Amino acid sequence: MGEPRILILGAGPAGGATAIGLRRLGYDVEVVSDWRRFDAVEGVSQRVLEGLRHAGLGSALAQAAVPARRRVYWNGTRQQLNQEFLLDRRLFDSALRDDVRRAGVQVIEGRVREVHSSAHAHRVVLDNGRVLSADFLVEARGRQAPLGSNRLRGPECVSLLNLWQGEPGEPVSAVESLDDGWAWMARMADGRCYWQVTLDSGSTRLPSRAQLPGYCADRRRQSALVAELFGAAAWQPSELHARSSTAILAGDCVGSNWVKVGDAAMAVDPLSGNGIFQSLSSALQAPAVVNTLLRHPERVDLARRFHQTRIEQLFLRFARIGRDFYAQEQRVAGHPFWAQRRSWPDELPIHVQADFSQLRVACRPVIREGVIDEAEVVVGPDQPLGIWHVQGVEVAPLVHGLQAGQRLETLLANRPAGEQAMLRAWLTAQGHRG
Ligand code: FAD
């Protein structure tokens, strides 16, 4: 193959981060994307902003992220947290494209209608009739990507996003548990107000589409928190957009000439507040996976295993974080909405108590200089994918040496004092007593 033609479907955070990562590896990349069809605001943590900067998506983002005071009303208690950034998705999505273009990626505006794939090539037909060809396809159309088979699907959720214009004021956000779901709400400095209720779409009897704005307005009327944040302006029916928010893990996330990233691979429950973070996580590893599939055919299985297992582990981690947050709500625990979610996806804890005797050294796929390779890593119940480096230092030789009976002092002897202290602290956190 000459220079492979890589086409990315979708210019959200996952498509954008993958495009820039592939450019950094020297590939020519095209992105084709439609625009999101509704106005939305989402909440992210400082960690997401750092991830976006790291992915090369940070410069314009600075305009889209607004720090806001955050309140949490959960299980009958009120907390004030200072940590949320409100992301105006219209600004954010447009800023993403600027970053992607600046990195030298061609962005085609259009809606993908059909994708025809074979083992060697892909043909993508747009709504305007234009046909694009590619050797490699990155599926990043988010929740709108074709589902394929699901590996795992959480309880069915629908989120009703309501938007109205209120008075300008300090940016705020809040989350509140309800008897049969939960609501997230925010006000931007210019007075745009958002209220989003998430309910079980399987068991909740919702009115017809035309009656939904009135139904949501009635529900807002019943909330003291809504009255506190927005006043009576929130009680009027408003513009509404309904979207599915069921947690979904796709079956196969990678083939020999395609890969899924972001929500197309794994869409998490919005309660975790981590959707953009997980999209970035899968997109940051994807360029090395694509590079390996294109340049090292002998490592196709390794690259596929790497991408698939990481997506699955990430999905399960966020699903369990969501589960534990649902379980904190005790007042209405018996309601089907809460009862279903407090035990899904399983009963396994997010973290297992550290136990050094459970650690072992094993060979696992890792990213080495932009390619998926194999290396000896430290595997344990809490780290099934393995730890290769800690602050740039390989830890497998250390664990191997200790398990073979060598003294810690001997193993650390030739290292600088700062590194020794860091490794000792890491070993202690792994349950090593020595
Ligand atoms: P997307 O951001 O969805 O990007 C996909 C892109 O593909 C879009 O530009 C779309 O227009 C384009 N596209 C789709 N179909 C086509 C097509 N046929 N042709 C061409 N282009 C197409 N995450 C958070 O971090 N914080 C939150 O507060 C939060 N709240 C959420 C609330 C709800 C109700 C939901 C459903 C999700 C929420 N998320 C939140 C999750 C977050 O929106 C996603 O995880 C994230 O945007 C996924 O990024 P992505 O790049 O995979 O997909």
Side-chain angles (χ1 to χ4, degrees):
M1 193 192 294
E3 271 310 304
R5 294 163 302 165
I6 303 178
L7 181 62
I8 299 180
L9 311 183
T18 308
I20 293 180
L22 285 166
R23 282 295 299 144
R24 286 175 176 165
L25 291 174
Y27 288 102
D28 277 337
V29 189
E30 279 183 338
V31 176
V32 58
S33 190
D34 199 358
W35 289 100
R36 181 180 281 253
R37 298 193 171 185
F38 56 95
D39 196 9
V41 160
E42 291 177 350
V44 295
S45 63
Q46 178 70 38
R47 188 171 66 151
V48 174
L49 302 192
E50 278 149 23
L52 288 162
R53 235 162 251 132
H54 175 62
L57 295 170
S59 56
L61 165 79
Q63 301 163 18
V66 179
R69 274 187 306 118
R70 181 171 193 233
R71 299 177 201 190
V72 178
Y73 288 16
W74 208 257
N75 194 32
T77 60
R78 297 177 165 215
Q79 276 181 290
Q80 178 109 11
L81 304 170
N82 235 345
Q83 282 163 341
E84 195 156 44
F85 289 83
L86 298 178
L87 218 59
D88 179 327
R89 281 299 304 239
R90 218 178 270 285
L91 279 179
F92 176 62
D93 288 355
S94 146
L96 282 178
R97 291 188 196 192
D98 293 343
D99 279 328
V100 167
R101 284 202 184 92
R102 249 195 307 274
V105 175
Q106 197 198 341
V107 181
I108 300 164
E109 291 196 4
R111 185 157 194 85
V112 173
R113 194 174 64 209
E114 291 163 29
V115 178
H116 303 280
S117 297
S118 73
H120 308 288
H122 305 273
R123 227 177 117 256
V124 173
V125 184
L126 307 188
D127 261 358
N128 62 9
R130 187 170 168 191
V131 177
L132 305 170
S133 309
D135 300 304
F136 198 99
L137 204 70
V138 178
E139 175 57 87
R141 282 180 284 171
R143 285 181 178 267
Q144 292 179 66
L147 263 181
S149 60
N150 299 328
R151 180 150 301 189
L152 212 52
R153 192 175 172 104
E156 297 298 322
C157 291
V158 63
S159 295
L160 307 174
L161 177 66
N162 295 235
L163 158 66
W164 68 95
Q165 185 63 44
E167 292 300 317
E170 187 194 359
V172 285
S173 71
V175 63
E176 174 181 40
S177 55
L178 308 169
D179 287 358
D180 57 349
W182 56 278
W184 181 84
M185 56 206 88
R187 181 184 61 227
M188 302 298 271
D190 62 8
R192 268 177 298 154
C193 298
Y194 297 83
W195 181 82
Q196 176 181 273
V197 64
T198 297
L199 304 165
D200 188 289
S201 53
S203 63
T204 311
R205 274 220 201 112
L206 286 173
S208 70
R209 204 171 178 83
Q211 291 171 327
L212 276 179
Y215 166 83
C216 286
D218 284 347
R219 295 199 61 140
R220 287 197 291 278
R221 225 173 239 280
Q222 293 158 28
S223 162
L225 178 59
V226 167
E228 215 175 285
L229 288 191
F230 306 115
W235 300 340
Q236 297 305 316
S238 67
E239 188 183 325
L240 184 144
H241 184 86
R243 50 179 173 157
S244 160
S245 47
T246 307
I248 300 172
L249 171 66
D252 287 331
C253 297
V254 53
S256 56
N257 64 351
W258 60 271
V259 67
K260 287 185 182 180
V261 290
D263 275 11
M266 49 165 286
V268 294
D269 185 324
L271 184 66
S272 75
N274 272 312
I276 296 181
F277 180 79
Q278 64 77 17
S279 294
L280 281 181
S281 308
S282 63
L284 287 171
Q285 75 189 29
V289 173
V290 177
N291 193 25
T292 310
L293 293 172
L294 288 169
R295 301 282 187 222
H296 299 274
E298 76 286 0
R299 293 194 198 158
V300 164
D301 287 347
L302 194 66
R304 289 178 67 168
R305 185 150 45 94
F306 176 86
H307 193 64
Q308 189 74 38
T309 50
R310 267 162 209 260
I311 297 273
E312 287 175 10
Q313 289 296 326
L314 201 61
F315 179 82
L316 285 171
R317 205 174 102 217
F318 286 122
R320 290 177 188 135
I321 290 172
R323 173 202 66 195
D324 290 358
F325 200 37
Y326 281 118
Q328 281 174 28
E329 177 51 76
Q330 301 279 329
R331 291 170 314 144
V332 281
H335 188 286
F337 177 89
W338 298 93
Q340 270 188 318
R341 286 160 179 80
R342 61 191 299 118
S343 57
W344 185 86
D346 52 32
E347 302 291 336
L348 293 177
I350 301 173
H351 289 298
V352 182
Q353 174 91 28
D355 178 354
F356 190 74
S357 68
Q358 297 276 313
L359 298 188
R360 62 195 172 86
V361 171
C363 228
R364 291 280 189 276
V366 296
I367 300 181
R368 197 195 300 269
E369 292 169 10
V371 177
I372 307 301
D373 196 358
E374 268 189 310
E376 286 205 321
V377 299
V378 176
V379 179
D382 215 20
Q383 298 288 349
L385 301 176
I387 305 169
W388 185 21
H389 289 121
V390 177
Q391 295 183 29
V393 182
E394 279 194 46
V395 285
L398 189 61
V399 171
H400 208 270
L402 288 169
Q403 289 182 339
Q406 284 180 269
R407 287 170 46 105
L408 182 57
E409 288 67 28
T410 315
L411 288 163
L412 296 179
N414 296 323
R415 296 184 182 274
E419 214 170 81
Q420 288 195 21
M422 181 275 289
L423 289 170
R424 281 180 194 278
W426 179 78
L427 283 168
T428 306
Q430 306 309 309
H432 181 255
R433 313 265 168 262

